[in-house]
Amino acid sequence: MVAEKETLSLNKCPAKLPTRTKLLAQQPLPVHQPHSLVSEGFTVKAMMKNSVVRGPPSAGAFKERPTKPTAFRKFYERGDFPIALEHDSKGNKIAWKVEIEKLDYHHYLPLFFDGLCEMTFPYEFFARQGIHDMLEHGGNKILPVIPQLIIPIKNALNLRNRQVICVTLKVLQHLVVSAEMVGEALVPYYRQLLPILNIFKNKNVHRRRCAAT
């Protein structure tokens, strides 16, 4: 009787029957991938297993530097230079309002050398052409002014601009042959200029290597 009651009660309540669940195949656990640690060189983190050493920042030796307003531009815009622009069949040239030989070279020549940093017309034209005119007619007035020309030359070379550097080197060549003893007077200053010129040389070598690859 007890077994029959249990059977009847089970038949009356089929919803209470235990349900069988299908066992799913166990999925493998995901493998944890370690994160890479970005670190500076020569540090404790750099010695860790998953460390990635960050390279050194660019020194910027080859990077072109922005120009600053020059004293030459200031004097030119104020009309303090005895010069004007003249056009002829060969192109532009400087019309000097006074004889070049009578100019105060201690005052004007360093200002024109300061204009070597200029890269826009007409400032760059007047500065560079004015230098060549003054070196051509300066004679014995050039030698005493050499110490005042070194800082403007360094400023122009430090721009890291290829065009400015090439023009400055041409000016240096003209300066050396402009008068007697000028080349000898420049010797003490070569140590200041050679490191800058070597950077320019290395930049050209690097550019040629990149073009060859």
Side-chain angles (χ1 to χ4, degrees), residues 30-82:
V31 179
H32 178 69
Q33 298 293 339
H35 294 286
S36 298
L37 300 175
V38 181
S39 61
E40 301 290 341
F42 305 102
T43 61
V44 176
K45 288 184 178 181
M47 305 298 295
M48 298 177 67
K49 182 178 180 181
N50 300 319
S51 178
V52 176
V53 179
R54 182 187 294 114
S58 175
F62 299 154
K63 185 177 181 182
E64 185 174 322
R65 300 180 180 181
T67 59
K68 298 179 180 180
T70 63
F72 175 84
R73 180 180 294 206
K74 177 182 177 182
F75 276 72
Y76 174 81
E77 291 178 345
R78 290 195 321 195
D80 291 345
F81 293 133

Side-chain angles (χ1 to χ4, degrees), residues 2 21 27 30 32 49 86 101 151 195:
V2 176
T21 58
Q27 300 294 330
H32 178 69
K49 182 178 180 181
E86 181 178 333
E101 294 82 355
I151 291 179

